[in-house]
């Protein structure tokens, strides 16, 4: 918790779209400029914004909250303009797509989409919990349309093995990772429930996770040598 005189930024990333566009999910929760300590808000447009990566917003409460060192002055068009941006030359497809969604869906449309995603996330959580294999984390708290879960009980494999098996067998990309310091021994799986994940696909994912676990019951976890390998692609 921050002290009374501290300031903070509400960093929404892709998930910031849920409270920003759909405050009726948790209308009692304050996260924006209604909190005195929040001086800036940043939100990404992809995933829950329903567009491609590459667009986002950073909004400051007051002009004084923007550090002068971050402002770039240019006179390309014959007059001096102040700009604050994270990139320069880039395509505009994500801008057009976001604007189109604003016009086409509006607040009511985004509300409908967010509630549908949240309901599908709840169904997935219920499916995983009822299987008896998994513990669903934070389902009784305010949640984005996602499901965080981990194995319940002792197994010969862990969450990373499930993620690998799901990817190899069915092509699902369900990340598994450890939590931050002081909880680094806890590993979880996280499934983002997006607009394109229908109820039928939720049921299919549930079945594929169960099939992956049955496969791992028979063959066991990945070898320790494979676990220590570091994948190095062209991006490294």
């Amino acid at each position: 918790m921050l002290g009374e005189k501290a300031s903070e930024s509400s960093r929404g990333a892709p998930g910031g779209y849920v409270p920003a566009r759909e405050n009726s999910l948790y209308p009692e929760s304050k996260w924006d400029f209604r909190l005195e300590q929040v001086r800036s808000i940043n939100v990404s447009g992809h995933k829950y914004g329903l567009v491609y990566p590459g667009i986002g917003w950073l909004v400051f409460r007051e002009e004084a909250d923007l550090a002068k060192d971050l402002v770039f002055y240019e006179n390309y068009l014959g007059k001096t303009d102040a700009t604050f941006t994270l990139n320069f030359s880039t395509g505009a497809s994500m801008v057009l797509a976001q604007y189109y969604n604003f016009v086409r869906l509006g607040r009511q449309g985004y509300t409908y989409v967010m509630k549908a995603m949240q309901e599908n996330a709840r169904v997935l959580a219920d499916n995983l919990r009822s299987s008896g294999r998994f513990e669903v984390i934070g389902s009784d708290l305010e949640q984005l349309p996602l499901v965080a879960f981990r194995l319940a009980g002792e197994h010969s494999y862990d969450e990373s093995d499930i993620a690998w098996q799901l990817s190899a067998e069915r092509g699902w990309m369900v990340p598994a990772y450890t939590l931050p310091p002081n909880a680094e021994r806890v590993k979880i799986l996280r499934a983002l429930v997006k607009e394109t994940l229908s109820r039928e696909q939720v049921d299919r994912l549930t079945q594929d996770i169960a099939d992956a676990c049955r496969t791992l019951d028979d063959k066991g976890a990945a070898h320790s040598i494979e676990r220590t390998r570091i994948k190095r692609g062209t991006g490294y």
Side-chain angles (χ1 to χ4, degrees), residues 3-208:
E4 291 182 359
K5 295 184 179 180
S7 62
E8 63 179 84
S9 173
S10 288
R11 184 182 182 276
Y17 238 86
V18 178
R21 299 300 300 175
E22 181 24 56
N23 198 39
S24 62
L25 287 183
Y26 306 109
E28 302 302 322
S29 295
K30 296 180 180 180
W31 62 274
D32 51 15
F33 292 136
R34 289 173 294 174
L35 297 176
E36 182 180 355
Q37 292 171 308
V38 173
R39 310 306 300 179
S40 64
I41 300 171
N42 73 81
V43 179
S44 299
H46 70 293
K47 294 182 181 175
Y48 297 128
L50 312 182
V51 296
Y52 330 110
I55 185 172
W57 300 266
L58 176 57
V59 183
F60 292 90
R61 179 190 289 268
E62 300 174 358
E63 184 177 353
D65 293 321
L66 172 58
K68 299 298 182 183
D69 293 342
L70 298 179
V71 179
F72 175 72
Y73 294 92
E74 49 86 10
N75 58 0
Y76 298 144
L77 301 179
K79 66 175 183 178
T80 301
D81 288 318
T83 181
F84 173 64
T85 182
L86 300 180
N87 55 26
F88 290 84
S89 299
T90 184
S93 59
M94 71 291 293
V95 178
L96 297 174
Q98 188 71 89
Y99 185 72
Y100 172 77
N101 279 343
F102 282 159
V103 174
R104 176 175 179 266
L105 297 174
R107 184 179 183 85
Q108 183 177 3
Y110 267 102
T111 296
Y112 177 84
V113 172
M114 298 301 161
K115 286 186 174 180
M117 290 191 295
Q118 187 185 52
E119 183 58 32
N120 283 338
R122 287 171 176 165
V123 171
L124 178 59
D126 290 342
N127 290 349
L128 294 171
R129 190 184 297 106
S130 62
S131 72
R133 288 183 179 268
F134 297 101
E135 172 192 353
V136 178
I137 301 171
S139 60
D140 56 335
L141 304 173
E142 293 184 2
Q143 279 274 22
L144 297 172
L146 61 82
V147 181
F149 58 104
R150 63 178 180 175
L151 283 165
E154 297 294 328
H155 298 270
S156 61
Y157 52 89
D158 68 5
E159 291 78 6
S160 292
D161 294 306
I162 296 175
W164 296 339
Q165 194 66 36
L166 273 175
S167 176
E169 280 190 355
R170 299 297 183 187
W172 290 104
M173 302 303 293
V174 180
Y177 52 86
T178 56
L179 297 183
N182 298 325
E184 60 269 16
R185 293 188 178 182
V186 178
K187 185 178 289 187
I188 66 170
L189 289 148
R190 185 194 66 180
L192 281 177
V193 179
K194 299 168 64 176
E195 181 190 24
T196 52
L197 190 70
S198 65
R199 184 65 59 86
E200 180 183 3
Q201 289 176 312
V202 166
D203 293 339
R204 185 180 305 165
L205 174 58
T206 302
Q207 184 60 51
D208 288 344

